[in-house]
């Protein structure tokens, strides 16, 4: 009786948690541009000045600059990744002002050193004194001063120009901007005639390194050339989402009916575990801040198919043991043992294939592989261990003693 009560409690509590959290999960899922609408652009980066090269650091800094620009427009959740040695991929879902965003993104990162002009509000600086290409390439470095505080050393190309600027601005800020974002506003303490300077302040080591990287980026501004683009209208994305959900619901209902019709009580348990599996994957999507795309949904559906296969293999093996005349409990032990290795082998080999796709693939291929790996891990937990746990509770409680509860006819056993 205790095992039956444990079974009922586990099912009720799990169901309550799923019902209570599912609306929030579904409303909080992030949709990719193929479901929500938006556009994707692949850029190729090249230096503006001849003789310079695109470094890994400059590519990363350019990608970060692009992200700041997009966020300044109010665009939500941009996905910006670097690829290879000179490419940046930008994915923006839910964007309506596509032409404005394209125009903004193709401009090089604009690093400027500014002073306050007449009429500027306090804390704002509009007069441009130096630009990024006025600095020596990779000249900004971080070092520790005599009190172990991080400072940034910089070096300019034109010593005379720098001397004139620093002489004029003694006691005043020389603000550092990336695009229109104020990064820092150090005060000029003396005229600097050798073309080098140190920027000090209450910086942490990470803040100092980031500022030095930004100055070096400004000394090597990158030009972005659009190599590929894909645009998806919001209406088309919505249609894709609705059709996907409709197909998924129809397929799920058919699968649940099939499982119950073929395997009776174990089929009911398998159907419940498939629902738990679906809920748990969605919860991981939410907690992991995943973006749901059509390839991701395809991987999700494939994982559910593998979960159904795991249950079918297990229950068919149990039915085979019953047909030899074994008891329900003995059939469960023998069938579960013999099917476990087959099911695990299938899941592990698929995970290996997905792992190769993830490490060697790019873009949507990696997304497909990642979702498939997560789906398989969840399937192992729910459709192998959890379903067997629930079924064992009923069998050990003698709540299902007869083979008919497994879809096995008594006449078939007697015939053998």
């Amino acid at each position: 009786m205790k095992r039956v009560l444990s079974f009922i409690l586990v099912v009720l509590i799990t169901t309550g948690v799923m019902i209570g959290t599912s609306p929030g999960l579904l409303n909080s899922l992030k949709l990719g541009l193929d479901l929500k609408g938006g556009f994707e652009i692949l850029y190729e980066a090249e230096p503006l000045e001849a003789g310079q090269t695109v470094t890994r650091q400059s590519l990363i800094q350019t990608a970060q600059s692009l992200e700041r620009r997009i966020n300044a427009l109010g665009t939500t959740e941009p996905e910006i990744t670097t690829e290879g040695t000179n490419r940046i991929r930008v994915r923006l879902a839910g964007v309506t002002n596509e032409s404005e965003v394209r125009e903004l993104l193709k401009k090089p990162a604009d690093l400027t050193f500014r002073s306050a002009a007449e009429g500027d509000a306090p804390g704002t600086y509009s007069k441009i004194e130096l630009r990024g290409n006025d600095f020596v390439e990779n000249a900004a470095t971080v070092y520790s001063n005599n009190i172990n505080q991080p400072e940034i050393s910089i070096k300019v190309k034109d010593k005379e120009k720098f001397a004139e600027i620093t002489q004029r601005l003694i006691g005043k800020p020389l603000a550092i901007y990336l695009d229109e974002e104020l990064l820092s506003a150090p005060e000029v303490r003396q005229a600097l005639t050798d073309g080098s300077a140190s920027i000090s302040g209450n910086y942490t080591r990470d803040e100092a390194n980031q500022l030095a990287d930004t100055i070096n980026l400004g000394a090597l501004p990158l030009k972005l050339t659009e190599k590929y683009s894909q645009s998806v209208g919001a209406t088309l994305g919505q249609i894709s989402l609705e059709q996907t959900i409709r197909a998924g619901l129809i397929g799920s209902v058919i699968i649940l009916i099939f499982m119950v019709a073929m395997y009776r009580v174990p089929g009911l348990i398998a159907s419940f575990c498939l629902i738990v599996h679906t809920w748990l994957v969605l919860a991981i999507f939410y907690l992991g801040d995943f973006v749901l795309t059509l390839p991701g949904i395809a991987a999700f559906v494939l994982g559910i198919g593998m979960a159904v296969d795991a249950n079918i293999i297990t229950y068919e093996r149990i039915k085979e043991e019953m047909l030899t005349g074994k008891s329900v409990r003995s059939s469960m032990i023998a069938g579960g043992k013999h099917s476990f290795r087959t099911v695990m082998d299938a899941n592990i080999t698929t995970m290996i294939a997905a792992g190769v796709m993830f490490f060697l693939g790019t873009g949507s291929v990696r997304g497909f592989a990642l979702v498939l790996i997560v789906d398989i891990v969840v399937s192992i937990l729910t459709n192998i261990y959890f379903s067997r746990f629930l079924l064992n509770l009923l069998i050990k409680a003698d709540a299902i003693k007869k083979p008919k509860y497994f879809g096995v006819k008594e006449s078939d056993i007697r015939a053998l």
Side-chain angles (χ1 to χ4, degrees):
M1 188 64 182
K2 290 182 179 179
R3 289 191 174 95
V4 175
L5 288 175
S6 297
F7 175 88
I8 294 172
L9 281 175
V10 170
V11 171
L12 289 178
I13 292 173
T14 305
T15 302
V17 171
M18 290 191 295
I19 292 174
T21 58
S22 291
L25 284 178
L26 293 173
N27 292 330
S28 301
L29 287 177
K30 297 176 182 176
L31 302 179
L33 64 90
D34 52 359
L35 294 175
K36 190 177 180 180
F39 68 96
E40 174 184 27
I41 307 175
L42 179 64
Y43 289 109
E44 187 173 85
E46 56 185 356
L48 285 176
E49 299 183 11
Q52 295 179 325
T53 59
V54 178
T55 64
R56 179 65 180 166
Q57 189 61 37
S58 68
L59 196 66
I60 293 173
Q61 289 291 328
T62 301
Q64 292 173 350
S65 174
L66 290 178
E67 185 170 3
R68 283 193 289 265
R69 292 181 185 185
I70 294 168
N71 286 332
L73 285 176
T75 304
T76 57
E77 304 299 337
E79 182 184 348
I80 302 174
T81 55
T82 59
E83 297 181 3
T85 59
N86 66 339
R87 293 194 169 191
I88 300 175
R89 188 179 297 273
V90 179
R91 294 186 180 93
L92 301 173
V95 173
T96 56
N97 54 340
E98 183 177 328
S99 59
E100 180 183 347
V101 175
R102 282 177 181 272
E103 186 66 27
L104 183 66
L105 293 184
K106 68 182 182 181
K107 296 178 182 177
D110 188 17
L111 178 76
T112 54
F113 279 53
R114 306 181 187 182
S115 61
E118 186 176 349
D120 281 349
T124 59
Y125 310 90
S126 62
K127 184 180 179 181
I128 297 177
E129 303 285 356
L130 295 166
R131 293 192 176 274
N133 55 4
D134 288 321
F135 292 86
V136 175
E137 184 180 340
N138 293 323
T141 57
V142 177
Y143 68 97
S144 297
N145 59 20
N146 54 7
I147 58 172
N148 205 33
Q149 291 292 321
E151 294 187 3
I152 302 103
S153 173
I154 60 174
K155 192 171 184 180
V156 299
K157 298 175 182 177
D158 191 334
K159 298 179 183 179
E160 294 181 0
K161 179 180 179 181
F162 195 49
E164 186 277 325
I165 293 171
T166 53
Q167 176 66 47
R168 174 164 42 84
L169 295 178
I170 291 177
K172 299 178 182 179
L174 183 59
I176 307 171
Y177 278 78
L178 184 62
D179 295 324
E180 293 303 317
E181 179 185 0
L182 176 62
L183 302 180
S184 183
E187 183 179 299
V188 179
R189 296 177 182 174
Q190 62 184 40
L192 302 169
T193 58
D194 63 352
S196 62
S198 294
I199 303 173
S200 61
N202 296 321
Y203 303 117
T204 64
R205 174 65 64 167
D206 288 341
E207 290 170 342
N209 285 330
Q210 185 175 4
L211 183 57
D213 289 341
T214 303
I215 294 172
N216 286 332
L217 169 65
L220 183 58
L222 300 180
K223 175 185 176 183
L224 298 178
T225 303
E226 187 175 315
K227 305 299 290 185
Y228 160 87
S229 65
Q230 171 186 323
S231 181
V232 179
T235 302
L236 181 59
Q238 185 65 31
I239 292 173
S240 298
L241 179 60
E242 291 173 356
Q243 291 178 341
T244 301
I245 293 175
R246 187 183 301 113
L249 289 175
I250 294 173
S252 298
V253 170
I254 293 173
I255 288 171
L256 297 183
I257 293 173
F258 170 81
M259 294 296 292
V260 175
M262 286 293 296
Y263 304 108
R264 310 297 168 82
V265 175
L268 280 172
I269 293 175
S271 299
F272 176 73
C273 290
L274 285 171
I275 295 172
V276 175
H277 166 264
T278 301
W279 171 82
L280 194 55
V281 171
L282 293 177
I284 293 173
F285 275 26
Y286 169 73
L287 295 174
D289 206 28
F290 287 15
V291 177
L292 191 61
T293 62
L294 283 176
I297 292 176
F300 188 18
V301 172
L302 178 59
I304 292 177
M306 293 189 64
V308 173
D309 285 344
N311 285 298
I312 290 175
I313 291 171
T314 300
Y315 297 150
E316 284 294 335
R317 197 68 185 86
I318 293 172
K319 289 173 69 173
E320 288 176 6
E321 296 293 336
M322 287 183 184
L323 289 172
T324 64
K326 291 182 180 178
S327 66
V328 169
R329 183 175 296 188
S330 297
S331 298
M332 176 65 189
I333 294 172
K337 181 180 179 181
H338 293 147
S339 64
F340 181 80
R341 182 171 180 177
T342 302
V343 172
M344 288 301 295
D345 284 349
N347 282 286
I348 290 173
T349 52
T350 305
M351 285 183 66
I352 292 173
V356 173
M357 291 171 63
F358 179 80
F359 286 107
L360 299 182
T362 59
S364 59
V365 174
R366 297 191 71 190
F368 176 91
L370 179 60
V371 173
L372 184 57
I373 291 171
V374 171
D375 213 358
I376 292 173
V377 172
V378 173
S379 176
I380 291 171
L381 295 175
T382 55
N383 295 286
I384 297 179
Y385 290 104
F386 188 51
S387 65
R388 295 186 186 205
F389 166 73
L390 293 177
L391 188 58
N392 273 318
L393 284 178
L394 294 180
I395 291 175
K396 290 179 179 179
D398 289 330
I400 47 175
K401 300 179 181 179
K402 298 180 179 181
K404 68 179 182 179
Y405 293 122
F406 287 76
V408 177
K409 297 179 181 179
E410 297 281 355
S411 58
D412 292 337
I413 298 175
R414 288 194 297 269
L416 294 174

